[in-house]
Amino acid sequence: MDLPLWATGLIGFLIINAMLVSASVLVYAERKVSGYIQNRPGPNRVGPFGFLQPFADVVKLIMKEDIAPRAASPFIHSLAPVLMVIIAMTVPAVIPFARGFVIADLDVSVLVVLALTSVSVYGVTLAGWSSNSKYSLLGGLRSSAQMISYELSMGLAVVSVVLIAGSLSLVDIVEDQASGWAILGWNVIRNPVGAMLFIITAFAETNRAPFDLPEAEQELVGGYHTEYSGMKFGMFFLAEYVNFFIASFIIVTLFFGGYLIPFEPLFAHVFYDNGLGWLLGVLQFFALLAKTAFFAFLFIWVRWTLPRFKYNQLMTIGWKYLLPIGIVNALVIALGVAVFEALGL
Amino acid sequence: MVAQLLFFLLAIVAIAAALGMLIARNPVNSALWLVLNLFCIAGLYLTLNAQFIGIIQILVYAGAIMVLFLFVIMLLNLAELPRREDIDWKRGAAFILGMGVLAQLVYIVAMSFDVLPHPPAAQEAVATGSAQVLARALFTEYALPFEVIGLLLLVATIGAVMLAKRRFV
């Protein structure tokens, strides 16, 4: 899609704002879902059904005094939360939202996603180090160890997807899933092990429970953001929610058909014949959003259901189970692709 | 024009970051300067249209290797070096200016003997920078060196595990 620069800028502006709003929606959803899971009503005082609760939270965070420890390294202490938000907000640039609607259609967009994921560990690590506090440092160390360990398995899960699609572009990967009856072309059907692997590692990479050791409240006070207050803490909070929303987008794009609607080829021509291609695009966007919402719900659901792993369990799962499974899965998928190509299917 | 401006911007920041890495007294700051330097190099690759190499640069160096460095630095909790008070600014400025003049002279001599490499045209870079072309070269023309490097890395990994276990007599 060749848009003029100003149009790309405008779309980017809209998407960044949509992400900010989505974070507040997710905060509300998390508090409400956790409430119902624990058999309590959740926030219900601010606005109808407590809808305005996240906005009240934001106002509170902005009004709070910004306190930094005297021994903290001032520049890095301020840089860390900004880094988290910037990286979280960069990923939507490569996500295809509907057919032909993606801000940056790169040949290597899958690698961009992986690169940004691996860089995002800096935010947590630097926050932990620069605070000059033992709880923060422990949180930062745990986070970098965890992310290094699970990145490999995540990379292998992505490799299996790339092998099937034969392309490093997210757009090609989504279009590759269009073949097959209804949802049979989706990568979750063709590559179920890879899908499970990716979902598990996505939980680990976003520091969500049961992989939330970097911010384990019971052991580390607040983990890497113990020494942050006011809007700097707010930015970590924002980045966490945007991150798992983005992770849901990536899960859907790689394994659950992205913006594809089941049975789309049966009725797509009706839209194109009547010159309503844009309406199909809107429907595809809503299909993507619906699938993403399910995975966002899954993230919340798991957080309030499963207890946290111990550190040794975390490392055992990452290195002794997920990594070998990932390697074998990538090999099997590669063999499968080779056999299918040889048979000319 | 824009490409040239970008090149000079990225090159200047890369050099400044490299200097910062050398000068920084705190190991974590030093590592962060190196990360900035790696990002600038990745940006330079992108201006050459080598998207694959640029992204891999960020993914492998900035994302994996430097995170590991930072992890080790933080784990060892290295102390900050004492700040040097006696920096001789005159000498520093003289060194930079002298190197600048030397670079210009070398450039002129090299120009006159026509030994400078000619930068590839952007079209050529597009052809050589894509993942497909790179993979074809790696798995056909350079298959043996590629496998040997793989073997070397495996040996290094096994060696690291051996050293970590410390059960050899």
Side-chain angles (χ1 to χ4, degrees):
Chain A
M1 188 167 59
D2 273 333
L3 282 175
L5 203 57
W6 63 266
T8 314
L10 189 69
I11 293 170
F13 176 77
L14 288 178
I15 286 178
I16 286 178
N17 279 289
M19 286 292 152
L20 289 172
V21 174
S22 76
S24 66
V25 172
L26 285 172
V27 172
Y28 176 75
E30 169 128 83
R31 299 184 64 166
K32 214 62 182 169
V33 170
S34 67
Y36 287 131
I37 285 177
Q38 296 171 342
N39 204 9
R40 58 185 172 83
N44 62 357
R45 285 290 178 270
V46 192
F49 305 104
F51 276 143
L52 298 177
Q53 183 67 45
F55 298 99
D57 287 346
V58 171
V59 170
K60 182 196 79 173
L61 283 172
I62 290 178
M63 305 286 262
K64 267 193 170 177
E65 187 188 353
D66 175 35
I67 303 167
R70 195 184 302 152
S73 145
F75 178 71
I76 297 177
H77 190 74
S78 307
L79 176 74
V82 179
L83 212 59
M84 291 287 280
V85 173
I86 290 177
I87 292 168
M89 292 289 182
T90 313
V91 185
V94 294
I95 296 175
F97 289 107
R99 182 162 295 135
F101 187 83
V102 50
I103 298 178
D105 187 6
L106 300 174
D107 292 339
V108 289
S109 40
V110 175
L111 293 177
V112 173
V113 172
L114 280 181
L116 287 170
T117 317
S118 63
V119 169
S120 71
V121 66
Y122 281 114
V124 178
T125 315
L126 290 178
W129 176 79
S130 66
S131 301
N132 218 333
S133 134
K134 50 180 169 294
Y135 295 123
S136 301
L137 183 66
L138 279 172
L141 282 177
R142 281 185 183 185
S143 156
S144 44
Q146 174 177 322
M147 285 190 151
I148 292 169
S149 311
Y150 282 75
E151 234 168 57
L152 293 169
S153 312
M154 179 180 251
L156 283 168
V158 171
V159 163
S160 62
V161 173
V162 170
L163 279 172
I164 291 178
S167 167
L168 288 169
S169 152
L170 282 174
V171 176
D172 290 351
I173 287 175
V174 172
E175 285 303 329
D176 179 61
Q177 301 176 54
S179 58
W181 182 81
I183 62 165
L184 289 185
W186 290 5
N187 276 335
V188 66
I189 308 286
R190 297 190 284 180
N191 181 11
V193 181
M196 276 311 293
L197 208 62
F198 190 85
I199 293 173
I200 294 172
T201 49
F203 274 80
E205 292 286 320
T206 49
N207 286 328
R208 291 284 296 187
F211 297 99
D212 61 343
L213 285 110
E215 42 186 320
E217 288 91 350
Q218 292 85 349
E219 313 156 28
L220 296 180
V221 191
Y224 59 89
H225 54 59
T226 306
E227 304 291 348
Y228 282 88
S229 63
M231 205 48 209
K232 282 185 191 162
F233 167 75
M235 285 166 98
F236 278 117
F237 202 59
L238 173 72
E240 181 188 339
Y241 283 89
V242 173
N243 265 334
F244 87 74
F245 195 47
I246 299 286
S248 314
F249 266 115
I250 302 293
I251 290 172
V252 170
T253 306
L254 290 181
F255 293 100
F256 292 85
Y259 52 72
L260 298 174
I261 311 170
F263 301 110
E264 192 183 288
L266 295 183
F267 59 82
H269 63 273
V270 179
F271 287 94
Y272 289 123
D273 291 349
N274 296 321
L276 289 170
W278 60 271
L279 190 62
L280 187 66
V282 172
L283 285 180
Q284 285 175 337
F285 178 66
F286 279 112
L288 173 69
L289 218 55
K291 295 181 207 172
T292 306
F294 171 74
F295 282 96
F297 172 70
L298 184 77
F299 270 90
I300 299 171
W301 188 10
V302 168
R303 173 169 177 189
W304 296 98
T305 309
L306 296 180
R308 182 181 302 130
F309 288 124
K310 286 189 289 184
Y311 194 71
N312 58 339
Q313 289 172 332
L314 179 90
M315 287 296 148
T316 314
I317 293 171
W319 290 104
K320 292 191 181 164
Y321 296 105
L322 292 185
L323 190 61
I325 291 174
I327 293 173
V328 171
N329 183 49
L331 275 178
V332 169
I333 295 286
L335 274 178
V337 169
V339 168
F340 268 68
E341 295 225 323
L343 296 177
L345 287 170
Chain B
M1 185 59 205
V2 177
Q4 274 186 344
L5 271 179
L6 263 178
F7 169 79
F8 280 111
L9 186 72
L10 287 169
I12 290 170
V13 176
I15 292 172
L19 282 177
M21 185 224 135
L22 291 173
I23 294 170
R25 309 304 284 170
N26 184 318
V28 173
N29 288 348
S30 198
L32 288 180
W33 280 117
L34 187 53
V35 172
L36 181 59
N37 176 277
L38 291 171
F39 267 97
C40 290
I41 305 281
L44 285 178
Y45 285 138
L46 289 185
T47 59
L48 290 174
N49 272 323
Q51 287 181 349
F52 182 73
I53 311 239
I55 300 296
I56 286 291
Q57 167 91 2
I58 295 177
L59 182 63
V60 174
Y61 285 93
I65 294 181
M66 285 315 294
V67 171
L68 217 58
F69 269 44
L70 209 61
F71 179 72
V72 172
I73 291 173
M74 280 166 55
L75 202 64
L76 297 177
N77 207 3
L78 296 176
E80 196 165 329
L81 289 172
R83 206 165 276 282
R84 284 180 70 100
E85 297 294 343
D86 54 341
I87 298 176
D88 192 349
W89 288 110
K90 267 190 222 162
R91 194 175 271 186
F95 178 75
I96 291 171
L97 284 176
M99 288 309 277
V101 173
L102 181 67
Q104 279 179 328
L105 289 174
V106 169
Y107 179 74
I108 289 168
V109 173
M111 273 273 280
S112 56
F113 286 108
D114 197 27
V115 290
L116 285 182
H118 295 283
Q123 211 57 43
E124 213 177 309
V126 170
T128 51
S130 77
Q132 279 89 351
V133 176
L134 209 70
R136 191 153 294 133
L138 269 184
F139 287 111
T140 55
E141 202 177 334
Y142 301 104
L144 185 66
F146 183 73
E147 295 296 328
V148 170
I149 291 172
L151 206 64
L152 260 177
L153 286 174
L154 182 66
V155 170
T157 316
I158 295 171
V161 172
M162 276 293 290
L163 284 176
K165 276 194 155 179
R166 285 178 196 231
R167 283 219 199 105
F168 51 90
V169 188

